[in-house]
């Protein structure tokens, strides 16, 4: 049981459980970024490492959070994440990722970064640095897919009908067919509120109204028709033993491959309890490092065959893959919404948002073409 305490004076390491330490709140972070980052890092690491010759530099490419590399004696050793927070986005990203990686550490899973230390009040955490490189789409192979499945099975190995301590529901978790449909409905409703002040904004809202929504209505109508025929129950909830621990936003866009070929999976701020069918859909729908659908039979078999009544889950997968493809069209357009823009600017203030919007609209249209082939 992890307890939290508060400190009033110099921040210090407070707690230690399962070899993982927490730190108390730290005042003034980011008021003076250079000074605060350095002092913060030294204070966070003072009880677990010698922070002499500490060098901190920002890591480019983060889409949601500020990410920094902590280098010691010329060698990258840790990653420090300062998590995005917003009144309209209540998910505690720091807590979600920390508790997931804490669970993985307790389970002895080695293909994820070790959680080192966390300041939950400030939304800052330090993790092990993984040496390696991104997995290029053109180099994806069956071995990569197998490693992803091995990781998923390992994280779920000891999860049965009980609820793992501290794990939250995954972001946009779905436990019934209605949950899946409502997830997309909410996203489309938000997109209809986007600004129309620029040409690229007007192009995006035209795409949403004239292409995305009509296709979504067809997908939704098909599922509702199947319910009328008794082929699906909108409000039938998953059995507890069929719920999984999902890495969420799971794919090779959130992976690092070592020179030895071992794949480490990273970025678990959306992780938690969820529908395994949704996990499969997201794995094959994420657009950054797309996974060929030729791997879908192998992947779905290893995930679904161990569940009660696998045939029913295969039927749900067939129905829900088009649903989540439409959902990913919406996700790609997040930069057109206030919270999505704020999150990207928080992670990288130098972005040209009009350029980003243009790229995202093009990606969404490409994803939309994929959705059409699934109906």
């Amino acid at each position: 049981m992890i307890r939290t305490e508060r400190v009033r004076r110099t921040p210090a390491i407070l707690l230690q459980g399962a070899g993982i330490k927490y730190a108390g709140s730290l005042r003034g972070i980011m008021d003076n970024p250079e000074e605060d980052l350095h002092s913060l890092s030294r204070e966070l690491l003072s009880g677990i490492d010698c922070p002499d010759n500490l060098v901190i530099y920002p890591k480019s490419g983060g889409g949601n959070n500020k990410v920094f590399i902590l280098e010691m004696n010329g060698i990258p050793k840790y990653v420090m994440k300062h998590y995005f927070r917003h009144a309209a986005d209540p998910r505690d990203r720091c807590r979600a990722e920390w508790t997931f990686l804490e669970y993985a550490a307790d389970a002895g899973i080695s293909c994820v970064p070790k959680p080192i230390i966390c300041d939950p009040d400030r939304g800052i955490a330090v993790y092990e640095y993984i040496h390696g490189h991104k997995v290029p789409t053109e180099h994806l192979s069956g071995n990569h897919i197998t490693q992803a499945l091995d990781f998923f099975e390992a994280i779920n190995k000891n999860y049965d009908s009980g609820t793992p301590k501290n794990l939250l529901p995954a972001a946009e978790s779905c436990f019934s067919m209605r949950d899946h449909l409502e997830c997309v409905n909410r996203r489309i409703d938000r997109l209809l509120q986007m600004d129309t002040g620029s040409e690229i904004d007007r192009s995006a809202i035209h795409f949403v109204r004239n292409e995305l929504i009509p296709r979504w209505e067809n997908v939704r109508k098909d599922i509702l028709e199947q319910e009328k025929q008794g082929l699906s129950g909108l409000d039938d909830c998953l059995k507890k033993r069929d719920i999984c621990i999902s890495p969420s936003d799971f794919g090779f866009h959130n992976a690092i491959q070592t020179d030895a070929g071992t794949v480490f999976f990273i970025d678990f701020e959306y992780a938690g309890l969820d529908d395994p069918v949704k996990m499969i859909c997201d794995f094959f729908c994420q657009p950054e490092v797309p996974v060929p659908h030729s791997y879908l039979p192998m992947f779905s078999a290893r995930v679904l065959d161990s569940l009660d009544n696998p045939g029913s889950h295969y039927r749900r997968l067939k129905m829900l893959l088009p649903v989540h493809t439409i959902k990913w069209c919406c996700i790609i357009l997040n930069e057109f919404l206030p919270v999505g823009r704020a999150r990207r600017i928080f992670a990288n203030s130098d972005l040209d948002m009009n350029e980003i919007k243009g790229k995202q609209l093009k990606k969404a249209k490409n994803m939309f073409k994929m959705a059409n082939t699934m109906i």
Side-chain angles (χ1 to χ4, degrees), residues 319-330:
M319 286 190 288
L320 287 171
L321 199 51
V323 171
H324 287 280
T325 308
I326 296 290
K327 180 192 75 177
W328 272 90
C329 290
C330 298

Side-chain angles (χ1 to χ4, degrees), residues 163-177:
T163 301
K165 65 176 184 179
N166 299 327
L167 279 182
L168 304 170
E172 295 187 308
S173 55
C174 297
F175 302 110
S176 70
M177 189 66 73

Side-chain angles (χ1 to χ4, degrees), residues 88-343:
D89 183 4
R91 183 167 180 81
D92 189 338
R93 297 162 184 270
C94 179
R95 181 186 171 198
E97 180 156 36
W98 183 265
T99 53
F100 180 88
L101 287 173
E102 184 180 45
Y103 181 86
D106 288 345
I109 294 170
S110 59
C111 62
V112 294
K114 295 175 183 175
I116 305 299
I117 195 164
C118 180
D119 177 354
D121 291 338
R122 293 288 186 179
I124 299 166
V126 177
Y127 304 100
E128 173 191 16
Y129 179 87
I130 304 300
H131 294 265
H133 54 83
K134 287 290 188 181
V135 181
T137 303
E138 61 272 18
H139 293 165
L140 274 183
S141 68
N143 176 262
H144 292 99
I145 308 303
T146 297
Q147 289 191 62
L149 284 164
D150 289 345
F151 167 52
F152 176 78
E153 288 180 351
I155 202 71
N156 282 278
K157 183 178 180 180
N158 297 316
Y159 173 52
D160 45 29
S161 59
T163 301
K165 65 176 184 179
N166 299 327
L167 279 182
L168 304 170
E172 295 187 308
S173 55
C174 297
F175 302 110
S176 70
M177 189 66 73
R178 187 180 299 278
D179 288 345
H180 290 274
L181 300 183
E182 286 304 312
C183 173
V184 180
N185 282 337
R186 288 191 299 270
R187 284 191 170 274
I188 286 182
D189 286 345
R190 288 198 293 269
L191 287 175
L192 289 173
Q193 306 304 313
M194 73 171 69
D195 294 334
T196 57
S198 68
E199 183 178 348
I200 189 65
D201 292 332
R202 290 188 289 274
S203 295
I205 195 67
H206 182 274
F207 167 68
V208 170
R209 286 174 174 165
N210 295 282
E211 298 185 67
L212 194 62
I213 289 178
R215 179 57 62 203
W216 167 237
E217 290 301 328
N218 286 339
V219 170
R220 188 171 175 273
K221 180 181 177 182
D222 182 57
I223 290 176
L224 294 176
E225 284 295 326
Q226 293 189 57
E227 185 201 23
K228 289 179 181 178
Q229 298 170 22
L231 298 177
S232 71
L234 280 185
D235 296 306
D236 292 345
C237 290
L238 284 178
K239 297 176 182 177
K240 284 187 177 181
R241 58 181 171 270
D242 286 341
I243 293 171
C244 74
I245 300 171
S246 174
S248 222
D249 199 14
F250 184 31
F252 297 102
H253 60 306
N254 283 329
I256 297 171
Q257 182 173 319
T258 68
D259 291 340
T262 301
V263 177
F264 281 74
F265 296 93
I266 60 173
D267 290 347
F268 300 105
E269 63 199 73
Y270 300 112
L273 305 177
D274 211 345
D275 181 349
V277 168
K278 175 170 166 276
M279 184 279 296
I280 296 172
C281 292
D282 287 341
F283 188 84
F284 284 91
C285 286
Q286 61 79 22
E288 191 173 335
V289 183
V291 178
H293 279 223
S294 58
Y295 292 112
L296 180 59
M298 175 186 80
F299 194 93
S300 56
R302 277 188 59 178
V303 174
L304 301 180
D305 283 355
S306 61
L307 303 180
D308 285 354
N309 192 6
S312 68
H313 296 293
Y314 280 104
R315 288 192 294 273
R316 290 195 311 114
L317 176 60
K318 184 176 180 180
M319 286 190 288
L320 287 171
L321 199 51
V323 171
H324 287 280
T325 308
I326 296 290
K327 180 192 75 177
W328 272 90
C329 290
C330 298
I331 290 172
I332 292 167
L333 295 175
N334 272 343
E335 281 75 9
F336 289 87
L337 301 175
V339 176
R341 283 198 302 275
R343 188 167 62 243

Side-chain angles (χ1 to χ4, degrees), residues 200 335 341 344-345 348-360:
I200 189 65
E335 281 75 9
R341 283 198 302 275
R344 288 296 292 269
I345 292 169
N348 185 351
S349 59
D350 296 328
L351 290 175
D352 181 334
M353 284 311 300
N354 278 333
E355 180 182 351
I356 294 293
K357 285 179 177 181
K359 290 179 179 179
Q360 295 304 106

Side-chain angles (χ1 to χ4, degrees), residues 10-22:
T10 304
I13 294 170
L14 299 176
L15 305 173
Q16 183 170 346
I20 300 168
K21 302 179 179 70
Y22 287 75

